[in-house]
Short mmCIF file of all heavy atoms in Angstrom, two decimals:
data_model
loop_
_atom_site.label_atom_id
_atom_site.label_comp_id
_atom_site.label_asym_id
_atom_site.label_seq_id
_atom_site.Cartn_x
_atom_site.Cartn_y
_atom_site.Cartn_z
N ASP D 117 -40.43 57.33 -0.57
CA ASP D 117 -41.32 56.60 0.33
C ASP D 117 -40.50 55.97 1.48
O ASP D 117 -40.90 55.10 2.24
CB ASP D 117 -42.00 55.40 -0.35
CG ASP D 117 -41.03 54.50 -0.96
OD1 ASP D 117 -39.88 54.82 -1.10
OD2 ASP D 117 -41.48 53.41 -1.46
N GLY D 118 -39.29 56.44 1.61
CA GLY D 118 -38.50 55.86 2.74
C GLY D 118 -37.59 56.91 3.41
O GLY D 118 -37.24 57.92 2.86
N LEU D 119 -37.17 56.61 4.65
CA LEU D 119 -36.33 57.51 5.41
C LEU D 119 -35.51 56.62 6.25
O LEU D 119 -35.93 55.61 6.88
CB LEU D 119 -37.20 58.41 6.34
CG LEU D 119 -36.47 59.25 7.33
CD1 LEU D 119 -35.70 60.35 6.55
CD2 LEU D 119 -37.30 60.02 8.29
N ARG D 120 -34.25 57.01 6.48
CA ARG D 120 -33.30 56.32 7.37
C ARG D 120 -32.90 57.31 8.45
O ARG D 120 -32.49 58.37 8.12
CB ARG D 120 -32.04 55.74 6.65
CG ARG D 120 -31.10 55.15 7.59
CD ARG D 120 -30.16 54.21 6.91
NE ARG D 120 -30.92 53.06 6.35
CZ ARG D 120 -30.32 52.08 5.69
NH1 ARG D 120 -29.16 52.13 5.48
NH2 ARG D 120 -31.11 51.05 5.20
N LEU D 121 -32.99 56.95 9.68
CA LEU D 121 -32.55 57.68 10.82
C LEU D 121 -31.21 57.21 11.35
O LEU D 121 -31.12 55.99 11.65
CB LEU D 121 -33.64 57.69 11.90
CG LEU D 121 -33.29 58.33 13.24
CD1 LEU D 121 -33.07 59.85 12.87
CD2 LEU D 121 -34.33 58.07 14.27
N TYR D 122 -30.22 58.01 11.27
CA TYR D 122 -28.94 57.67 11.79
C TYR D 122 -28.66 58.36 13.10
O TYR D 122 -28.66 59.58 13.22
CB TYR D 122 -27.81 58.13 10.76
CG TYR D 122 -27.81 57.26 9.52
CD1 TYR D 122 -28.61 57.71 8.39
CD2 TYR D 122 -27.08 56.11 9.42
CE1 TYR D 122 -28.55 56.86 7.27
CE2 TYR D 122 -27.13 55.38 8.20
CZ TYR D 122 -27.85 55.80 7.20
OH TYR D 122 -27.93 55.11 6.01
N LEU D 123 -28.39 57.60 14.02
CA LEU D 123 -28.09 58.12 15.46
C LEU D 123 -26.72 57.64 15.84
O LEU D 123 -26.33 56.49 15.65
CB LEU D 123 -29.14 57.59 16.49
CG LEU D 123 -30.59 57.96 16.21
CD1 LEU D 123 -31.49 57.41 17.39
CD2 LEU D 123 -30.83 59.47 16.06
N ASP D 124 -26.03 58.53 16.41
CA ASP D 124 -24.65 58.23 17.00
C ASP D 124 -24.59 58.57 18.41
O ASP D 124 -24.59 59.89 18.70
CB ASP D 124 -23.58 58.99 16.11
CG ASP D 124 -22.16 58.43 16.52
OD1 ASP D 124 -22.04 57.93 17.65
OD2 ASP D 124 -21.21 58.48 15.59
N ILE D 125 -24.64 57.71 19.32
CA ILE D 125 -24.60 58.12 20.78
C ILE D 125 -23.34 57.50 21.37
O ILE D 125 -23.31 56.87 22.42
CB ILE D 125 -25.80 57.55 21.45
CG1 ILE D 125 -26.08 56.07 21.17
CG2 ILE D 125 -27.10 58.32 21.08
CD1 ILE D 125 -27.14 55.55 21.93
N SER D 126 -22.26 57.56 20.55
CA SER D 126 -20.97 57.01 21.07
C SER D 126 -20.46 57.84 22.23
O SER D 126 -20.87 59.00 22.47
CB SER D 126 -19.94 57.02 19.95
OG SER D 126 -19.73 58.36 19.45
N GLU D 127 -19.55 57.22 23.01
CA GLU D 127 -18.96 57.84 24.16
C GLU D 127 -18.12 59.01 23.85
O GLU D 127 -17.42 59.06 22.72
CB GLU D 127 -18.15 56.82 24.99
CG GLU D 127 -18.91 55.58 25.35
CD GLU D 127 -18.04 54.64 26.11
OE1 GLU D 127 -16.89 54.84 26.24
OE2 GLU D 127 -18.51 53.53 26.52
N GLU D 128 -18.13 60.05 24.70
CA GLU D 128 -17.30 61.22 24.46
C GLU D 128 -15.92 60.94 25.12
O GLU D 128 -15.78 60.05 25.90
CB GLU D 128 -17.95 62.45 25.00
CG GLU D 128 -19.27 62.76 24.40
CD GLU D 128 -19.88 64.00 25.02
OE1 GLU D 128 -19.28 64.56 25.93
OE2 GLU D 128 -20.99 64.41 24.55
N ASN D 129 -14.95 61.73 24.79
CA ASN D 129 -13.71 61.65 25.36
C ASN D 129 -13.02 60.29 25.09
O ASN D 129 -12.40 59.76 25.98
CB ASN D 129 -13.62 62.00 26.89
CG ASN D 129 -14.24 63.37 27.17
OD1 ASN D 129 -13.97 64.35 26.34
ND2 ASN D 129 -14.97 63.49 28.27
N THR D 130 -13.16 59.78 23.91
CA THR D 130 -12.53 58.58 23.54
C THR D 130 -11.07 58.70 23.14
O THR D 130 -10.75 59.65 22.47
CB THR D 130 -13.23 57.79 22.38
OG1 THR D 130 -14.62 57.70 22.74
CG2 THR D 130 -12.63 56.56 22.15
N ASP D 131 -10.25 57.93 23.79
CA ASP D 131 -8.79 58.11 23.58
C ASP D 131 -8.45 57.60 22.14
O ASP D 131 -8.67 56.39 21.75
CB ASP D 131 -7.94 57.25 24.55
CG ASP D 131 -6.52 57.58 24.48
OD1 ASP D 131 -6.12 58.38 23.61
OD2 ASP D 131 -5.76 57.08 25.33
N ASP D 132 -7.87 58.52 21.33
CA ASP D 132 -7.63 58.07 19.95
C ASP D 132 -6.50 57.09 19.93
O ASP D 132 -6.43 56.38 18.91
CB ASP D 132 -7.30 59.36 19.10
CG ASP D 132 -8.47 60.29 18.97
OD1 ASP D 132 -9.58 59.75 19.07
OD2 ASP D 132 -8.25 61.50 18.70
N SER D 133 -5.57 57.07 20.86
CA SER D 133 -4.54 56.19 20.81
C SER D 133 -4.97 54.69 20.86
O SER D 133 -4.39 53.76 20.34
CB SER D 133 -3.46 56.48 21.88
OG SER D 133 -4.09 56.32 23.14
N GLU D 134 -6.00 54.52 21.74
CA GLU D 134 -6.58 53.14 21.86
C GLU D 134 -7.30 52.67 20.59
O GLU D 134 -7.39 51.56 20.16
CB GLU D 134 -7.51 53.10 23.03
CG GLU D 134 -6.83 53.31 24.36
CD GLU D 134 -7.74 53.19 25.50
OE1 GLU D 134 -9.04 52.95 25.16
OE2 GLU D 134 -7.37 53.25 26.65
N ASP D 135 -7.85 53.73 19.82
CA ASP D 135 -8.55 53.32 18.54
C ASP D 135 -7.78 52.67 17.61
O ASP D 135 -8.23 51.89 16.85
CB ASP D 135 -9.20 54.60 17.99
CG ASP D 135 -10.30 55.25 18.96
OD1 ASP D 135 -10.59 54.56 19.89
OD2 ASP D 135 -10.63 56.41 18.69
N LEU D 136 -6.51 52.96 17.57
CA LEU D 136 -5.61 52.50 16.60
C LEU D 136 -5.05 51.15 16.97
O LEU D 136 -4.31 50.42 16.08
CB LEU D 136 -4.48 53.42 16.23
CG LEU D 136 -4.97 54.82 15.69
CD1 LEU D 136 -3.71 55.70 15.51
CD2 LEU D 136 -5.77 54.66 14.50
#
Side-chain angles (χ1 to χ4, degrees):
D117 59 350
L119 172 70
R120 173 160 299 178
L121 175 65
Y122 289 90
L123 301 181
D124 190 338
I125 52 175
S126 59
E127 302 176 3
E128 298 180 359
N129 301 324
T130 303
D131 189 0
D132 293 339
S133 61
E134 294 182 359
D135 295 344
L136 300 178

